[in-house]
Amino acid sequence: MPRKKCEILVINNVAAVGLKRFPAEIYSVVKESKDPWAILVRSQDLHKYEFGPSLRAVGRAGAGVNNIPVPALSKRGIPVFNAPGANANAVKELVLAGMLMAARNLGPALEFVKSLDRKGDLNKTVEAGKKEFAGFELPGHTLGVIGLGKIGSLVADAAIRLGMNVLGHDPHITVEAAWSLPSQVRRAGSIDDLLRASHFISLHVPLVDKTRHMVNAKNIAHLRHGAVLLNFSRRTWAPRPARPRTIPPSWWSTSCASTSSTATCRTRSTSPTRSWRARRPTVSPSPMPTCPTCWGASRTASASARSTSTTC
């Protein structure tokens, strides 16, 4: 009698090269099953999932496990595995891309190019309009990194190589992570100190009770004018009702946020010539956008500036 194979339910798309690690003579990798022996998941929320009696293990193809009911599975003796650091380089590159998009006004510049009249005098139009998207160079600006694990360390190292100053904050940093940090990273005593001093802020923390809403209506007011906030981590934002609607929209430049399935950057009518160190202007408050994945208003712009939304 042939031996029954271990059935593995794969939820979400997982690279075929990874699934090949399960020997076909032992495992049966399926996309539908009422009672699998194991589950492999990426972003699907399993908190309301009905686990069958045969379940032996749950694997997360990624770092965070906030989409998996770990305590409930632990009570059943079912281990949950994850893969921390597996996508570290990819996330690092997305952070660098987000900073470059904001610094060089790539979103508005692309919209400007799309709007060009091909039948007109392109050279004259481009020459007159390109100065609006000059932006600035990254060297000399300060990046604040919250969370100095594998990804945070790679981001800090890449920023230093680009000539940036780097502040780091992680009260629970491990010895291994500390050894991997570049010596040029300066320690920020608190999140508030980091927000005050940074031109760019990048979040790289797991979603647990201690990190939930760590960016909130109170401390986000410390951001300097034109600061760029990037979140390619989990949703550590303040809950929507608590978001600081009284913050003038011209304080903001770009906000990048990631959900469990996608990372979205939104740039809205940014002014490329405004100094990062400019004073916070006095303007009347306006409601924040209600984008489900990112929020933030832009700096005041000229009438010719355009709004755009791009996906990393």
Side-chain angles (χ1 to χ4, degrees), residues 10-286:
V10 178
I11 304 177
N12 307 126
N13 293 324
V14 177
V17 66
L19 298 178
K20 287 181 180 179
R21 298 180 67 89
F22 296 109
E25 61 273 14
I26 301 176
Y27 301 97
S28 174
V29 179
V30 298
K31 292 186 177 181
E32 292 184 7
S33 176
K34 293 183 178 180
D35 188 21
W37 284 38
I39 294 176
L40 184 59
V41 64
R42 290 184 63 189
S43 59
Q44 181 69 36
D45 189 345
L46 299 183
H47 284 89
K48 295 182 179 181
Y49 188 87
E50 295 184 6
F51 300 101
S54 300
L55 189 65
R56 301 289 190 273
V58 175
R60 163 78 165 92
V65 293
N66 55 290
N67 59 321
I68 301 172
V70 177
L73 291 171
S74 297
K75 289 180 180 179
R76 290 182 51 182
I78 299 172
V80 175
F81 303 92
N82 65 342
N87 63 341
N89 186 70
V91 176
K92 176 202 73 175
E93 292 181 354
L94 284 175
V95 173
L96 295 178
M99 289 196 295
L100 289 168
M101 286 176 65
R104 309 306 298 192
N105 297 295
L106 296 184
L110 288 172
E111 290 299 304
F112 170 72
V113 172
K114 290 179 182 178
S115 69
L116 291 175
D117 183 2
R118 301 299 194 274
K119 297 180 180 179
D121 190 340
L122 279 179
N123 289 335
K124 183 178 179 180
T125 305
V126 171
E127 192 64 30
K130 68 180 183 181
K131 60 180 179 293
E132 295 293 329
F133 314 105
F136 60 90
E137 297 181 0
L138 294 180
H141 287 80
T142 299
L143 168 65
V145 181
I146 300 176
L148 295 168
K150 180 67 174 177
I151 297 174
S153 297
L154 287 177
V155 169
D157 182 66
I160 290 171
R161 293 175 184 273
L162 288 173
M164 300 183 73
N165 304 310
V166 178
L167 286 174
H169 178 75
D170 191 337
H172 307 292
I173 188 171
T174 64
V175 174
E176 182 180 358
W179 275 109
S180 66
L181 269 180
S183 59
Q184 296 95 323
V185 177
R186 292 180 292 131
R187 176 180 174 272
S190 66
I191 292 179
D192 290 0
D193 291 342
L194 184 144
L195 294 177
R196 290 190 188 99
S198 302
H199 301 101
F200 296 86
I201 301 96
S202 190
L203 305 176
H204 301 286
V205 293
L207 181 57
V208 296
D209 289 340
K210 290 183 178 180
T211 62
R212 194 183 302 273
H213 306 159
M214 67 185 302
V215 177
N216 52 61
K218 183 178 179 180
N219 62 22
I220 209 170
H222 297 307
L223 285 174
R224 64 170 68 202
H225 169 66
V228 178
L229 182 59
L230 304 105
N231 180 20
F232 289 99
S233 182
R234 291 297 185 271
R235 291 198 176 196
T236 54
W237 302 85
R240 187 171 298 279
R243 288 174 182 171
R245 296 181 181 274
T246 57
I247 291 183
S250 57
W251 288 19
W252 287 84
S253 172
T254 302
S255 171
C256 297
S258 70
T259 64
S260 55
S261 59
T262 184
T264 305
C265 296
R266 173 159 293 187
T267 305
R268 296 174 59 89
S269 56
T270 54
S271 172
T273 58
R274 188 179 296 277
S275 169
W276 287 105
R277 301 181 186 276
R279 283 189 171 188
R280 295 169 177 168
T282 303
V283 298
S284 44
S286 67

